[in-house]
Amino acid sequence: MSTSKIAGVDVSTEHFIDGKRVASKQTFANCSPIDGKHLADVSAGGAAEVDAAVAAARRAFPKWAGLGPDGRHRVLKKFAQAILDHGKELAAVETADNGSLLMGNLARVIPRAALNIEFFADRALKLGHDQIDSPEVVNHVRYDPAGVAALITPWNGPFMLTTWKVGPALAAGDTVVVKPPEWAPLTCSMMADLANEAGIPAGVLNVVQGIGEEAGAALAAHPDIDRLSFTGSTDTAKLIGQSTARSLTPVSFELGGKSPYIVCADADFDAAAQTAAGQYLNAGQVCLAGTRLLVDASVADEFHSKFRAAVGHMTVGDPREKSTRVGPLITPEHFKRVEGFVDRALKSGVKPLWGGKRSSVGELYFEPTLLEGARQDMEIVQREVFGPVLTWQTFRDEDELVKLANGTCYGLAAMVFSKNQERAMRIASRVTAGTVWVNCFFVRELAAPFGGSRDSGIGREGGNWSFDFYCDVKNIAVLKGSFA
């Protein structure tokens, strides 16, 4: 088996198909965004590897589905524990691979990944007990496993976001083929070994690495998948949707965002400023981030002062250091994309209140940036930058606020800061978004629905909404009095 030493951890660079490591003749280079260091040459799969993985998942499906929620629960609990047991290694590799903060991975990301597995394993035990009475029949609702699920995951949170899909899919009784992100595939490879260590049978969880246009496209177009869940860009989702439409494969898409961050005149400015500064975490590579600050004009100067002070603590640096709050962008290509957005905005007359250029820390480090003076129709307001770049706009009344907040093609999230409950709830109800956080940010309750509206996605996952997707929901209507 081909492995590479990453942050002191041996990580396989091969696919995981039908319980075995499988190499491809072709590879792709994987480099760390921290310093550009070459980490590994990773097997690059295509149609052949996808075919093999889907076939393995199909063969494994009857037995895995037949275990029932109780049988699967026992194995998945061991899987969750294996993640916790290897938390330090997973966190170190994730940081090396995608540049995310090491302390955040240790404290939040890895524990949450384990919880993603455990929560849905527990939740599945409660499914299928619903009865709906009517005058003539009793309706029995069943959640039957759907089959083979294709899971295509993003590079900005590869391990946590993969377990967010793997957890409910496996708990539902599906078998899965995971396509990790080519820019950060390594912890998904480790996940396969942990699943195997926990006793998940061969073929139930498969990992095919590769370039999106090759492995990802082959998986999306495969006629023998029953569900496809994708997190990533809106443009890629449109291509995937065209492929899955040929087989009428149900999809769940969690896509980009350009979320409004709303500060009302009666907000707690200290809390709002600290939380706003947090939008720069992970170098702004967070689809949920509130990248459009919308501030009541009557308090704009006061809040701006608080916000500037809070951003002063967002230290740019090596993500392995405890003091760092803003790490690198993922690749040189992505750095150029982020830099291009800012350069075009500046040439259009937009002014930087701070930042706006490469940090002196290193090649892929961009300064936390706030831009003022952009019109609503400008690219910098309308399109997702996916970097540490925020825009500043003000509003004078609630109608203007809602018009600005809803004035993009996205609808993933929003944040509202106000001490007035009636006002906060009224604004939240008028904003188009799958999730609206009031006086907080990034609190993800697994039992609650999660997803996007408009170009930010299709469907909802979380709680039973995940099982609505990963299961075939069946109703058995039994005529009353028809049995002796």
Side-chain angles (χ1 to χ4, degrees):
M1 180 176 70
S2 178
T3 64
S4 288
K5 185 78 74 174
I6 313 295
V9 182
D10 288 323
V11 181
S12 174
T13 57
E14 299 175 347
H15 314 291
F16 189 80
I17 300 174
D18 203 14
K20 306 181 188 67
R21 287 293 176 178
V22 177
S24 294
K25 292 181 180 179
Q26 300 297 320
T27 62
F28 61 92
N30 180 231
C31 298
S32 175
I34 298 174
D35 51 15
K37 178 182 177 182
H38 179 266
L39 296 177
D41 290 317
V42 181
S43 282
E49 289 83 359
V50 167
D51 283 345
V54 173
R58 181 61 63 192
R59 289 192 301 271
F61 173 66
K63 186 175 181 179
W64 180 247
L67 286 177
D70 289 320
R72 294 190 293 270
H73 182 268
R74 288 190 289 271
V75 181
L76 292 176
K77 294 282 275 191
K78 293 179 182 178
F79 184 23
Q81 187 59 50
I83 291 171
L84 293 176
D85 290 345
H86 293 271
K88 290 183 179 179
E89 300 100 300
L90 287 162
V93 173
E94 185 98 319
T95 294
D97 204 14
N98 81 340
S100 52
L101 300 184
L102 178 59
M103 294 306 296
N105 286 333
L106 286 168
R108 296 184 300 276
V109 173
I110 302 306
R112 180 55 177 252
L115 182 61
N116 286 341
I117 304 298
E118 184 174 16
F119 172 87
F120 287 107
D122 291 342
R123 188 87 176 192
L125 298 175
K126 303 174 184 177
L127 294 176
H129 303 300
D130 297 336
Q131 290 188 17
I132 303 170
D133 197 19
S134 65
E136 295 182 87
V137 300
V138 177
N139 300 275
H140 302 264
V141 181
R142 288 181 55 90
Y143 286 81
D144 293 333
V148 177
L151 311 177
I152 303 178
T153 59
W155 50 262
N156 61 321
F159 191 72
M160 195 280 287
L161 291 174
T162 298
T163 58
W164 163 250
K165 300 176 187 298
V166 165
L170 294 185
D174 294 353
T175 53
V176 304
V177 179
V178 176
K179 161 48 180 80
E182 59 263 35
W183 286 353
L186 299 177
T187 49
C188 288
S189 178
M190 295 172 69
M191 178 190 67
D193 290 328
L194 296 179
N196 188 53
E197 174 186 312
I200 292 179
V204 171
L205 188 154
N206 307 274
V207 176
V208 177
Q209 300 161 147
I211 307 302
E213 292 83 353
E214 298 169 5
L219 186 56
H222 204 286
D224 203 26
I225 60 172
D226 300 289
R227 297 289 187 274
L228 186 144
S229 178
F230 168 74
T231 299
S233 75
T234 301
D235 289 342
T236 301
K238 291 177 180 179
L239 296 175
I240 292 173
Q242 292 173 11
S243 295
T244 54
R246 297 187 184 99
S247 300
L248 292 179
T249 303
V251 297
S252 177
F253 289 157
E254 195 252 290
L255 309 176
K258 195 73 176 176
S259 300
Y261 190 101
I262 299 165
V263 182
C264 297
D266 60 356
D268 179 334
F269 295 153
D270 290 321
Q274 290 294 329
T275 308
Q279 309 307 299
Y280 291 121
L281 289 170
N282 208 30
Q285 298 168 130
V286 179
C287 56
L288 296 164
T291 54
R292 294 186 294 132
L293 269 70
L294 305 179
V295 183
D296 190 299
S298 67
V299 296
D301 290 343
E302 183 179 357
F303 178 72
H304 178 267
S305 178
K306 298 271 190 181
F307 185 33
R308 179 183 284 277
V311 173
H313 298 288
M314 300 302 291
T315 304
V316 180
D318 188 320
R320 296 167 294 195
E321 299 294 331
K322 289 183 179 181
S323 61
T324 296
R325 293 297 176 266
V326 181
L329 295 172
I330 185 72
T331 64
E333 294 85 355
H334 188 61
F335 185 95
K336 290 178 182 177
R337 180 179 185 275
V338 171
E339 186 178 48
F341 272 109
V342 174
D343 287 348
R344 289 189 296 274
L346 297 180
K347 288 177 182 177
S348 299
V350 175
K351 302 297 183 183
L353 293 173
W354 54 74
K357 63 184 186 300
R358 186 191 307 270
S359 168
S360 60
V361 170
E363 285 297 308
L364 297 185
Y365 296 78
F366 202 87
E367 292 181 347
T369 297
L370 182 64
L371 302 177
E372 180 185 42
R375 299 187 310 273
Q376 185 69 14
D377 62 352
M378 282 185 170
E379 174 192 62
I380 196 66
V381 173
Q382 291 294 320
R383 292 188 59 195
E384 183 179 45
V385 177
F386 221 60
V389 179
L390 311 182
T391 58
W392 174 278
Q393 295 171 280
T394 59
F395 62 89
R396 297 193 178 279
D397 57 47
E398 191 173 305
D399 287 338
E400 182 184 14
L401 162 62
V402 172
K403 184 177 180 180
L404 292 171
N406 291 340
T408 74
C409 65
Y410 298 103
L412 186 56
M415 302 98 225
V416 180
F417 280 79
S418 172
K419 294 178 182 177
N420 185 304
Q421 182 176 359
E422 181 181 351
R423 176 181 295 114
M425 296 302 290
R426 185 174 63 246
I427 292 171
S429 68
R430 295 181 67 187
V431 171
T432 300
T435 299
V436 180
W437 281 287
V438 177
N439 297 325
C440 61
F441 173 62
F442 221 3
V443 181
R444 289 275 301 274
E445 169 54 53
L446 284 172
F450 179 79
S453 303
R454 297 178 175 172
D455 282 5
S456 289
I458 295 174
R460 296 290 183 269
E461 294 187 45
N464 281 10
W465 289 274
S466 285
F467 293 111
D468 288 342
F469 176 69
Y470 287 110
C471 291
D472 280 327
V473 183
K474 179 189 297 180
N475 180 48
I476 302 175
V478 179
L479 181 66
K480 290 182 176 179
S482 60
F483 296 128

